[in-house]
Amino acid sequence: MLYLMIMKDYIQIFEDFLKKEINYNAPANLYEPVKYILDSGGKRLRPLIVLYVSDLFTSNTSNATPAAAALEIFHNFTLAHDDIMDNSSMRRGKKTINSKWDNNTGILSGDVMLIISYEILNKYDDSKYVLLSKKLTETSRLVCEGQQNDMDFSLVKEVLEEDYFNMIENKTAVLIGCCYMFGGIVSDLNTKDINILYEVGKNLGIAFQLEDDLLDSFGDEAKFGKKIGGDIIEQKKTLLFIFTQAKLNGNQRVEFENIFFSDEIQEAVKINSIKTYYESSGAVDYLKNKVQEYSINAEKLINQMQIDTNKKLELIKFSEKLLNREI
Amino acid sequence: MLYLMIMKDYIQIFEDFLKKEINYNAPANLYEPVKYILDSGGKRLRPLIVLYVSDLFTSNTSNATPAAAALEIFHNFTLAHDDIMDNSSMRRGKKTINSKWDNNTGILSGDVMLIISYEILNKYDDSKYVLLSKKLTETSRLVCEGQQNDMDFSLVKEVLEEDYFNMIENKTAVLIGCCYMFGGIVSDLNTKDINILYEVGKNLGIAFQLEDDLLDSFGDEAKFGKKIGGDIIEQKKTLLFIFTQAKLNGNQRVEFENIFFSDEIQEAVKINSIKTYYESSGAVDYLKNKVQEYSINAEKLINQMQIDTNKKLELIKFSEKLLNREI
């Protein structure tokens, strides 16, 4: 459709807005790290969703740029703080804030990014401001809870599948839900459709995270952009691990856990061995089916919206591309 | 006046609200530290101001409790993060979050407190929500800037008086301004009076911080509640230091700086020596005059408000008590 720009145009619009908007200069030690992380790119998936949805429904993106920026800046706040908590030194091929500066700088510049994400919403009229900022608050709290759940998982040997889904819903999916919803809010969609968009995004967010887990172990390194097997080396209790562990009994389970939790086995050997378990347990197929399930949920939800059929089709196509990493 | 409750009643109202409101339970590792710090008391100065102002103008505090809680929770967010940045292990006679748990716990529970301070404002109707949350955002960003300025001061040997006033305005005074203003907003005062209340609080906040600096070196240990001379031992560049340093020339200045920046002189000797400098330089009198000046500013501002004369007098009396640590 003609009014739909190609993705790199959305990103350009977003980058221009961000550059103009984030023009704080003093104190330099506070704002330099903010500019640094916001300038370090990434896929810009979240603003892209907001801009796309707005463009689809209103053939306009300028109403959507502040909402898009709020969520991208919020996302970068979580990265700045997560990188401290995970003691990460690299992100997007560049040093993390805590590594380039120090933890204190990461804390305070993260804090101010959370605040700026609210501030940017000031650009809307009162009724939109109320909707957007309240949803940002709700989402933010869930994201914190998800991050805590994720950290808690590292302290135990076993995680329930239900708890895992709850964790990824909070840590990742609600923010994707928020992106779809913000696109709907700035487009003046009705409340029912706005709420459906949130659920659409949440379902896609879960599917996206499960795919991410799959790609982390079975993806193509060049395409995935990260070293394959990272989750295994970090002993992350993803659904691949949880499903496999629950399937195994007796000695088999002990053996699997011994390999997974060992710090002595050579990395490549460990990755291959655990991947074999993930495949033979049926975990890989299970995840693929789950991805399919959540993706179909999203499609069903889109079909419930009170919008033109062609817009439904466009939205489904966009969401599929998102999942297939074609965006 | 009859409708004005005594201070401990305000605090009781506030504590009851907080206990009812902060009832999050899971994940425990996220919310236990939140409850712990919010339960650790402190003077509750900020909520007390909001409740008092509301009671003064509307003979009602229930409209004010969420706004009061938002600012107290916000304040505790700053404490949780500052304690990490300052590597502090004790606060209010109890272990800090970073000391009782760890830095990661302090970061994430601080984050969620900032978010909860917005969430609590959801209790207001849209027009009040917009006013309160936008002012919270504006204030929060300034507080972050003030914290950065304060940290930056520790890296240099000399600070300009102007920069010091800017720092305490941002780090401390704007939040006190916010407390007065929130009291006015929930009381439906007119915009002009609401804005004056903000300036009243800002002036009092600056006076309060300067008094705090005085008390830290010259206060009565039992009444002040902290060890006297803490700022000197931490080599804090307060206005006492800045004024004294600027007054001294040549050898005298070198001697003063040698003592101040030495890590080898016995604590008690150092404190007494630096206090002598602060007195003889005229810094103590200078600060006392400044306190007076900002306090008079606040009084003048109150007199500009479009409110009954008796309310002006009450507000001035309350603000004086606040400054005199009688509240």
Side-chain angles (χ1 to χ4, degrees), chain B residues 80-130:
Chain B
H81 281 191
D82 285 4
D83 283 341
I84 303 170
M85 295 187 240
D86 299 341
N87 204 15
S88 303
S89 56
M90 296 296 286
R91 174 175 294 280
R92 300 167 181 161
K94 289 172 76 179
K95 282 187 171 179
T96 55
I97 295 179
N98 47 302
S99 156
K100 188 173 164 74
W101 286 272
D102 51 31
N103 282 359
N104 286 356
T105 305
I107 294 172
L108 202 58
S109 57
D111 290 344
V112 87
M113 280 192 277
L114 173 54
I115 292 159
I116 292 172
S117 62
Y118 278 97
E119 193 179 71
I120 283 195
L121 299 179
N122 289 353
K123 295 193 175 288
Y124 292 100
D125 63 38
D126 283 2
S127 68
K128 282 205 181 64
Y129 172 81
V130 171

Side-chain angles (χ1 to χ4, degrees), chain A residues 29 31 81 111 129 133 145, chain B residues 31 81 111 129 133 145 152:
Chain A
N29 289 337
Y31 292 120
H81 282 192
D111 290 345
Y129 172 81
S133 71
E145 293 183 1
Chain B
Y31 292 119
H81 281 191
D111 290 344
Y129 172 81
S133 70
E145 292 182 2
D152 288 345

